[in-house]
Amino acid sequence: MNPPRRTALVTGGNRGLGAAIARALHDAGHRVIIAHTPGNTTVGQWQQQQVAQGYSFVAYGVDVSDYESAQDLARRIHTDGHRIDILVNNAGITRDATLHKLDKAGWDAVLRTNLDSMFNVTKPLIDSMIERGWGRIINISSINGSKGQFGQTNYSAAKAGIHGFTKALALEMARKGVTVNTVSPGYLATEMVMAVREDIRQKIIDAIPVGRLGQPDEIAALVVFIASDAAAFMTGSNIAMNGGQHMY
Ligand code: CAA
């Protein structure tokens, strides 16, 4: 028997890790909605490219750092007749600088986009999961939320906060058929990591025991498992995949 077809929402689903997750969930037979930053003019073209490769994604604009915008996203999704079963809170940014050089704007932007977004996006979607007695919330954190990283006080704080959010919500949802988990990827071959200065990036890669960056598809396969019925006993977990760079 085929596994049930669910509806998934992946924030930041049009690029990097988010796009890999969106495709993998689509491959698993789910209907996939992606959320992108409002006013992104390249999404239409990206959607067409995906169609040419056999992927059909519904797309909505949202500023995940803004509660009103996230509420509006949920309203539009529901008005269009979708009910989200699988939420992947993936959207995130970096503003790397040592604390000495980090300004308030760089702190706020990362905390709002990476951490406030957990509340903003999850809150208006969770009631419908509870009503239907089934849901999967998968929050994308980072190795640097566990181990810290030079130049990332903002990002490490936000990513560590994600797992606190996950654990508390997992307890609240434990009897309601909704699992809540964190996935903490290490350094992946994505634009975000490629933006790190080359000499620094090379040092980071040299410190990864398996000797390479991870592939977004490797993380996406894990997300597909967590989203499945088979993973019903997994909740409140933080699953790391980082090539052996940080073990705990
Ligand atoms: N530990 C100790 N000292 C370090 C260090 C480290 N890890 N890294 C740098 N330093 C030292 C340098 O040697 C240098 O010392 P001197 O002044 O004595 O020469 C000093 O600190 C300043 O270092 P930088 O030249 O790097 O400082 P900068 O201001 O030019 O750059 C930075 C700061 C932009 C934060 C840069 O260090 C950097 O890019 N760091 C990497 C940040 C990173 O890993 N980002 C990940 C982005 S991808 C992502 O986040 C996805 C994910 O989840 C993994």
Side-chain angles (χ1 to χ4, degrees):
M1 202 175 74
N2 288 334
R5 186 177 197 229
R6 314 272 190 193
T7 300
L9 171 66
V10 184
T11 65
N14 57 312
R15 49 192 298 192
L17 176 58
I21 292 170
R23 280 194 295 269
L25 288 167
H26 192 285
D27 286 341
H30 302 301
R31 182 181 298 108
V32 181
I33 299 173
I34 65 111
H36 56 83
T37 46
N40 182 326
T41 52
T42 62
V43 172
Q45 200 188 352
W46 175 83
Q47 273 177 295
Q48 281 172 15
Q49 288 165 357
Q50 298 303 308
V51 168
Q53 294 165 32
Y55 295 97
S56 125
F57 297 122
V58 181
Y60 295 88
V62 65
D63 176 358
V64 295
S65 71
D66 181 83
Y67 183 55
E68 294 305 321
S69 178
Q71 280 198 313
D72 183 56
L73 169 72
R75 266 194 298 270
R76 283 180 287 147
I77 285 175
H78 289 158
T79 303
D80 291 346
H82 307 295
R83 292 290 174 272
I84 302 302
D85 306 299
I86 301 163
L87 169 61
V88 185
N89 280 314
N90 162 78
I93 59 168
T94 53
R95 293 284 184 275
D96 293 350
T98 56
L99 188 71
H100 180 65
K101 294 186 189 161
L102 181 65
D103 59 16
K104 177 86 167 83
W107 173 267
D108 287 344
V110 168
L111 269 288
R112 287 182 183 149
T113 303
N114 297 8
L115 185 57
D116 288 3
S117 60
M118 297 291 138
F119 175 79
N120 295 342
V121 178
T122 308
K123 166 91 178 156
L125 294 173
I126 202 162
D127 284 354
S128 114
M129 291 184 191
I130 295 169
E131 276 161 25
R132 284 170 295 126
W134 199 95
R136 296 282 183 269
I137 299 171
I138 301 160
N139 300 322
I140 305 299
S141 177
S142 162
I143 181 176
N144 294 338
S146 304
K147 83 166 210 14
Q149 169 64 333
F150 189 98
Q152 288 200 309
T153 50
N154 50 1
Y155 188 86
S156 300
K159 293 296 190 179
I162 286 175
H163 192 46
F165 173 86
T166 292
K167 288 187 283 188
L169 188 59
L171 289 173
E172 295 175 17
M173 293 299 119
R175 300 281 173 99
K176 300 185 190 301
V178 178
T179 69
V180 192
N181 291 287
T182 303
V183 169
S184 289
Y187 283 80
L188 307 179
T190 60
E191 273 176 42
M192 187 184 260
V193 170
M194 292 307 164
V196 174
R197 213 174 68 206
E198 208 210 330
D199 57 321
I200 297 176
R201 191 172 67 240
Q202 193 51 53
K203 277 191 198 147
I204 291 169
I205 296 171
D206 292 344
I208 302 175
V210 301
R212 65 170 176 89
L213 295 171
Q215 289 302 323
D217 288 350
E218 295 176 284
I219 305 294
L222 172 62
V223 170
V224 169
F225 171 69
I226 299 171
S228 72
D229 283 318
F233 198 54
M234 180 191 287
T235 195
S237 297
N238 181 13
I239 305 103
M241 194 190 276
N242 60 45
Q245 191 185 354
H246 185 63
M247 303 184 188
Y248 50 123

